[in-house]
Amino acid sequence: MLAMNYRGPQRVRIDHKPLPQIQHPEDAIVRVTRSCICGSDLHLYNGNVPDTRVGETFGHEFVGVVEEVGADVHKIKVGDNVIVPFNIACGRCAFCKQGLYGNCHEANPQATAAGGIFGYSHTTGGYAGGQAEYVRVPYANVGPTVIPEGMDLDDAVMLTDVVPTGYQAAEMGGIQKGDTVVVFGAGPVGIMAARCAWLFGAGRVIVFDKEEYRLEFVRNYAQCEAYNFMSVGDPVVFVKRTTDSLGADVCIDAVGAEAAGSTMQTITGRKLLLQAGSATALHWAINSVKKGGIVSIVGVYGPTDNLVPIGNVVNKGITIRANQASVKRLLPRLIEHVQNGILDPKALITHRIPLEEVSDAYRIFADKLDNCIKPVLIPPSARM
């Protein structure tokens, strides 16, 4: 089969790999019909995630058709079109029973923090990802969800990560009616977080980024204020000035490890790798939120330490909420929102690229070329 092949920082190519096989009675084999490149894939691509090994296939956002199932699989059957959540969850451990599917203890038992994720280095279990023609899906009675009849595949693939993560970012913010919400980052997740903030009752939504085309997109899609942090001076001061010196009620870090805006953070976190990425957006969020406010973190950081202003967290009485999105828990509600026209996920997709051109797709997305918001890879069988 064709599959993306990681060859080292900023070097990926399409290659031929063996077809995946059933390894456990609860496995399924899925033929991919859509897969995405995620902003967090760029952390892998740029070499910022530990234990990302040459030869890995990335891709934690994919949908497809069930081609084969193990002997103990009964929730899905051959021929079903399924949404596959990015987190791999057993459904029976202590954390899954709490609805914390992103924290499954069985899918990645050697880790103390990260759960299992498709195509996201050996720190999250070393599972092969979906930027390929076929994928082995473990715990197939738990994660895969049949795509409702009539749902566009482009909408469905966005429900594997982008929509749930953006939605949970707003949910974790505990947004109250009339709140001012500030989102750092106008990538797909930040855009979705801004859109979803209104669903929880926000009275004002502000987004920061440095790419003008992304700012224009989020203004139109999320009907919010959007500012270039390069032109407003200090974003923290800007937020304080526009909120009567109090700060925002809720701040969302939708950037993570590759945030721009601070020379010190960039050098220590992205160049020298002395910390788990640049924590600039997290600094801004902590310092921009009001006393007693909430900071919601969905931007991806590595498993090692970061330089963050913890003293300000304590002295301001801030609540920090963070996690990988529990896709399975959120899917029923989000499917309804898509079917009812409340959310339009496919509108974020700007590039549909053949899987064979995965190297070009990464370059376009990483370098922010051609006004790229979200690229989707389409395997050959899905183009027939």
Side-chain angles (χ1 to χ4, degrees):
M1 68 169 181
L2 294 175
M4 174 271 198
N5 191 338
Y6 175 70
R7 306 310 300 166
Q10 300 181 349
R11 294 177 59 209
V12 301
R13 70 188 186 200
I14 197 69
D15 228 331
H16 288 277
K17 290 191 172 186
L19 287 166
Q21 304 293 320
I22 297 288
Q23 298 178 20
H24 186 279
E26 294 183 28
D27 285 353
I29 305 298
V30 171
R31 175 173 58 82
V32 177
T33 52
R34 296 283 190 280
S35 63
C36 299
I37 301 176
C38 179
S40 59
D41 286 330
L42 299 183
H43 305 331
L44 299 168
Y45 176 73
N46 289 324
N48 291 327
V49 177
D51 210 4
T52 303
R53 304 180 187 180
V54 169
E56 288 190 17
T57 294
F58 300 166
H60 55 272
E61 302 176 342
F62 62 93
V63 297
V65 179
V66 178
E67 294 285 302
E68 185 181 358
V69 296
D72 291 346
V73 175
H74 55 270
K75 291 289 183 68
I76 56 173
K77 64 183 184 303
V78 172
D80 282 346
N81 284 282
V82 292
I83 296 166
V84 182
F86 76 87
N87 19 58
I88 301 169
C90 71
R92 50 185 172 252
C93 71
F95 302 106
C96 286
K97 287 178 180 178
Q98 296 177 59
L100 298 171
Y101 298 101
N103 306 111
C104 176
H105 199 56
E106 186 173 304
N108 191 20
Q110 295 189 45
T112 58
I117 298 175
F118 289 100
Y120 210 79
S121 85
H122 279 67
T123 61
T124 61
Y127 295 91
Q131 291 167 15
E133 291 188 279
Y134 294 88
V135 186
R136 180 179 75 91
V137 177
Y139 307 110
N141 288 319
V142 180
T145 299
V146 175
I147 299 172
E149 188 173 351
M151 177 174 282
D152 193 309
L153 290 180
D154 287 348
D155 280 327
V157 76
M158 299 294 278
L159 289 170
T160 62
D161 181 359
V162 171
V163 179
T165 299
Y167 185 90
Q168 186 168 307
E171 179 187 61
M172 290 191 303
I175 298 168
Q176 302 297 308
K177 186 175 178 60
D179 275 356
T180 295
V181 179
V182 175
V183 180
F184 293 97
V189 168
I191 293 169
M192 188 57 64
R195 175 68 185 85
C196 290
W198 298 114
L199 303 183
F200 289 89
R204 185 182 185 190
V205 179
I206 301 169
V207 177
F208 286 101
D209 201 279
K210 71 170 184 175
E211 301 294 335
E212 288 295 340
Y213 79 89
R214 301 208 312 187
L215 292 166
E216 185 63 25
F217 189 99
V218 72
R219 285 187 196 104
N220 293 328
Y221 184 85
Q223 297 297 296
C224 62
E225 301 171 49
Y227 301 99
N228 191 323
F229 65 75
M230 302 290 286
S231 62
V232 300
D234 186 338
V236 176
V237 174
F238 182 91
V239 171
K240 292 291 182 67
R241 285 176 176 166
T242 194
T243 56
D244 295 327
S245 298
L246 297 177
D249 298 287
V250 178
C251 285
I252 296 172
D253 173 2
V255 183
E258 297 202 63
S262 165
T263 301
M264 186 274 288
Q265 287 281 339
T266 297
I267 292 172
T268 59
R270 296 174 63 185
K271 303 298 183 183
L272 300 179
L273 304 183
L274 297 176
Q275 57 169 326
S278 166
T280 304
L282 183 53
H283 271 256
W284 288 344
I286 289 169
N287 293 325
S288 296
V289 78
K290 71 179 185 182
K291 298 174 185 177
I294 296 174
V295 171
S296 171
I297 308 171
V298 290
V300 174
Y301 293 91
T304 50
D305 297 334
N306 274 95
L307 302 172
V308 297
I310 194 66
N312 288 355
V313 173
V314 175
N315 292 329
K316 293 175 69 176
I318 296 169
T319 297
I320 294 181
R321 294 175 180 160
N323 208 348
Q324 301 287 350
S326 291
V327 179
K328 178 180 171 64
R329 175 179 66 83
L330 297 171
L331 266 181
R333 180 179 301 172
L334 296 177
I335 286 172
E336 285 186 10
H337 283 342
V338 173
Q339 290 177 318
N340 295 335
I342 294 171
L343 294 174
D344 180 16
K346 66 178 179 293
L348 273 67
I349 299 172
T350 53
H351 292 66
R352 294 168 178 82
I353 301 171
L355 175 63
E356 300 93 312
E357 299 174 20
V358 66
S359 180
D360 287 339
Y362 266 89
R363 182 177 58 84
I364 290 168
F365 193 38
D367 294 341
K368 300 178 177 61
L369 304 177
D370 195 29
N371 291 347
C372 184
I373 297 291
K374 185 68 173 178
V376 169
L377 301 171
I378 305 177
S381 66
R383 305 198 301 269
M384 295 177 180

